Amino acid sequence: MSAPLVVVGAGAIGGTLGAHVARAGHDVLLCDVDAEHVAAINARGLSIEGPVEEFTVGVPAVTPDGLPDRIERAIVAVKSHHTPAAAELLRDRLAPDGFVLTVQNGLTADVLVEALGADRVVSSFINVGADYLGPGRIIQGNVAAFHVGELAGGEITPRVRELAELLPYAQPTGNVLGYLWGKEAYGAMLWAGAVSDLTIAESLERPEYRPLMVALAREVLAQAPVPVEGFDGFDPADLEGSLDRLAAFNRRSAKQYSGIYRDLVVRKRKTEIDSMLRDLDGPIFAKIGELVHDIEQGRRVNEVANLDELAAYAASL
Ligand SMILES: NC(=O)C1=CN([C@@H]2O[C@H](COP(=O)(O)OP(=O)(O)OC[C@H]3O[C@@H](n4cnc5c(N)ncnc54)[C@H](OP(=O)(O)O)[C@@H]3O)[C@@H](O)[C@H]2O)C=CC1
Ligand SMILES: CC(C)(CO)C(=O)C(=O)O
């Protein structure tokens, strides 16, 4: 690869991927709006911490004004409400035959497709449980599924094969949307738990929340337009069993709380709930949206009572 792989959004997931690719000897350029994070990376390197492996790698980082005029390959790893801004940065810089890989949760690739063109967007599903710890420091929670594929599905194209070779843990897939819908169902369950103060594992394994979690996953899966894929203990055909397996999986991860919980409680900032509400229908999911908005706007705090309310609501349907 001649030009650097540009990572737009060098936080938890973009930083993890960028660090691994740079350590393997490839040319990487990290880009982030957080000037303190960028300065720390340039001064001391980017550190990956946690149980998987710990290393620090020297990798150049810039704020958006330092991006080169021409980009051939980029990873988009910003929160979904920042996708329009990331697309704007890439629109005039992406080479005509260049492309971006989104590693975002959810179904937000259409924002990139609209800005950059359908043939310039590749998608993926990733579940490595990363978290931003502070300037220049990221924790990688586990080694888990990472599937890269064309949005249209089907054939494994040369660029998908190239990305799967370049990126840590990545496998090519002809059904990336099937994985993303699986993650939507899993994610919805995590987000249900995030309105409480329980860890991911606790909210998934408590017997009193099992009917809620199964009903919620069913609500999401019923909307999937493609066959849904399983991963890391999640099996769309066995939701009850999935709860035990996913709880065990999350107990082993260094990331004990979901991204939405971390945004609500630790980082006290906007969550991705609105993009998810754009993509997902259904009464239980809509109720999660209400609860998350209440917490974002200070009308509630994260506590088990919210999860009890959600479970009672699901039982009343
Ligand atoms: N963390 C994880 O384990 C996983 C995350 N994902 C998904 O990946 C996406 C990113 O999540 P995550 O890495 O956790 O989030 P982070 O907030 O840790 O990282 C995103 C980074 O992008 C920066 N940023 C925001 N706007 C721009 C912009 N216009 N240009 C460049 N950088 C920008 C943010 O800065 P600032 O903080 O100042 O806004 C932040 O540093 C989300 O869609 C998430 O759902 C998917 C799978 C796993
Ligand atoms: C499931 C998990 C923890 C890691 O993939 C995630 O995506 C999140 O932060 O919500």
Side-chain angles (χ1 to χ4, degrees), residues 13 79 105 125-131 142 144-145 183 186-187 190-191 200 231-232 249-250 253 255-262 272:
I13 205 75
K79 294 277 183 179
N105 278 332
F125 150 79
I126 183 163
N127 194 32
V128 297
D131 229 332
N142 51 54
K183 183 73 183 277
Y186 171 39
L190 300 188
W191 292 19
I200 295 175
F231 56 85
D232 299 333
F249 172 80
N250 280 285
S253 175
K255 185 171 179 176
Q256 289 294 309
Y257 292 91
S258 64
I260 199 162
Y261 177 95
R262 297 267 306 161
E272 290 185 299

Side-chain angles (χ1 to χ4, degrees), residues 8-14 31-34 37 64 77-80 82 85-86 89 103-105 126-132 183 255 267 269 272:
V8 180
I13 205 75
C31 169
D32 204 283
V33 290
D34 180 344
H37 186 42
V78 296
K79 294 277 183 179
S80 41
H82 294 137
L89 288 176
V103 294
Q104 298 167 292
N105 278 332
I126 183 163
N127 194 32
V128 297
D131 229 332
Y132 173 82
K183 183 73 183 277
K255 185 171 179 176
R267 303 189 72 186
R269 62 182 188 174
E272 290 185 299

Side-chain angles (χ1 to χ4, degrees), residues 197-233:
D197 54 1
L198 301 178
T199 63
I200 295 175
E202 285 167 343
S203 62
L204 290 176
E205 74 190 357
R206 285 217 183 163
E208 64 269 39
Y209 302 127
R210 294 181 86 93
L212 161 70
M213 296 301 183
V214 169
L216 181 55
R218 283 212 183 99
E219 185 175 288
V220 172
L221 291 177
Q223 300 169 53
V226 291
V228 174
E229 303 281 354
F231 56 85
D232 299 333

Side-chain angles (χ1 to χ4, degrees), residues 1-7 26-30 60 68 70-74:
M1 198 175 281
S2 47
L5 173 73
V6 174
V7 179
H26 301 285
D27 202 1
V28 173
L29 177 66
L30 302 177
R70 184 185 160 96
I71 293 173
E72 288 180 10
R73 307 279 182 271

